[in-house]
Amino acid sequence: MRYATVKVLLESTVDKNRIFYRDNASYFNILIDDSNRKWVCRLHLNSLTNKYITFRDEPNVRHKINEVYEIEQYKERLSDIVNEIIAST
């Protein structure tokens, strides 16, 4: 569900075949071209009470979310980050 949500949000920005994920112990990573260097956002959903998202452009800032669907409010920001990644490669 996490991956699918972000993939749908980014479908108008980048080819869906370029969007990947890696599930790490402490966060769920969304990547472009399956590269750790091209991460878009990280979802920290392991806790029942403290769920949040971090973005590549501000990796130390946590944005609290209660449910995965709340990621939709960050669609424009996700698209901007993906466009920056694509432009820099």
Side-chain angles (χ1 to χ4, degrees):
M1 175 104 165
R2 308 169 269 215
Y3 174 61
T5 301
V6 176
K7 199 168 186 172
V8 167
L9 292 174
L10 293 174
E11 70 184 355
S12 64
T13 306
V14 66
D15 183 336
K16 65 183 177 183
N17 295 317
R18 294 183 70 185
I19 305 170
F20 291 83
Y21 73 90
R22 293 208 186 134
D23 196 359
N24 298 310
S26 59
Y27 58 84
F28 189 85
N29 209 4
I30 302 295
L31 311 166
I32 298 298
D33 298 332
D34 202 18
S35 171
N36 282 334
R37 293 182 181 160
K38 297 179 182 179
W39 69 277
V40 178
C41 67
R42 292 179 174 154
L43 302 169
H44 305 262
L45 305 170
N46 294 340
S47 170
L48 292 175
T49 56
N50 294 318
K51 299 176 184 172
Y52 56 93
I53 184 171
T54 57
F55 298 97
R56 174 189 181 94
D57 59 350
E58 291 182 310
N60 297 319
V61 177
R62 297 177 176 185
H63 300 274
K64 186 162 175 45
I65 57 174
N66 295 310
E67 300 293 334
V68 175
Y69 70 84
E70 291 178 16
I71 297 167
E72 292 177 22
Q73 67 185 317
Y74 299 107
K75 179 180 180 176
E76 186 174 324
R77 185 164 187 183
L78 291 166
S79 293
D80 290 346
I81 291 169
V82 168
N83 285 328
E84 287 176 20
I85 291 169
I86 292 170
S88 69
T89 57

